[in-house]
Amino acid sequence: MVPVGGVAVMLLGVVVSGVLCLLVYLVARGPLGVLGAGALALLLWSLAVIACLTLVPAEGAPGIVPAETRQETCSWDYGGPAPEGFWIFSGGQRLLNTLVFVPPGLLMVVFLARWPRAALVTVPLGLAVLAAYSAGIELTQLELARLDRACDITDVVDNSTGALLGGAAGLLAALVLRPWRARLR
């Protein structure tokens, strides 16, 4: 197996997914309008960026991980052992885990606010899907030991908190942008 990972691979994934999401925007802006297509494309891109940050090994693939050192279950030790800093940003990893899920929460609400009556159901459902996305990432990190990542319940809680904060910001943004107007035209 050829080791794949590191910052260059993460950045390549971010760029490639950005190009694909630009294509989504170009195709969707006719039926959804500029705001709806932009929110959808940026939502998809933010989810792809999260996948690149969390599912690509940070320092290159570790190769074979011996069974004795492989994590068998997710850590249910809420709050620790998170490192003090992260390899790209200064500050705590928990803060980064929270902040990285704010854009998807915000963009999802702006996109779904295009249909205000349905948004009463779809927004809470969408926030639950974002929490499930975070849990899915953690389970993938657990199952794929070669990622050299740790499965931790703290990450799911921090990610879900970020999605909720983003959702609240999305409600404010929707009140300002009023995406439902584009649907009425």
Side-chain angles (χ1 to χ4, degrees), residues 82-94 96:
E84 287 301 314
F86 193 65
W87 59 275
I88 292 178
F89 303 101
S90 61
Q93 180 177 342
R94 294 196 54 202
L96 178 63

Side-chain angles (χ1 to χ4, degrees), residues 45-142:
W45 187 56
S46 66
L47 294 174
V49 167
I50 290 169
C52 289
L53 287 173
T54 57
L55 297 177
V56 173
E59 304 292 330
I64 296 172
V65 176
E68 303 83 44
T69 62
R70 183 180 184 276
Q71 187 180 9
E72 293 181 22
T73 62
C74 277
S75 169
W76 289 91
D77 178 21
Y78 180 76
E84 287 301 314
F86 193 65
W87 59 275
I88 292 178
F89 303 101
S90 61
Q93 180 177 342
R94 294 196 54 202
L95 176 62
L96 178 63
N97 284 339
T98 302
L99 292 178
V100 78
F101 268 78
V102 169
L106 184 146
L107 293 163
M108 180 209 49
V109 170
V110 169
F111 176 71
L112 294 175
R114 180 177 174 82
W115 303 276
R117 288 191 179 141
L120 295 173
V121 172
T122 57
V123 167
L125 183 61
L127 291 170
V129 168
L130 288 175
Y133 182 67
S134 173
I137 286 171
E138 294 301 314
L139 289 175
T140 302
Q141 291 174 344
L142 175 66

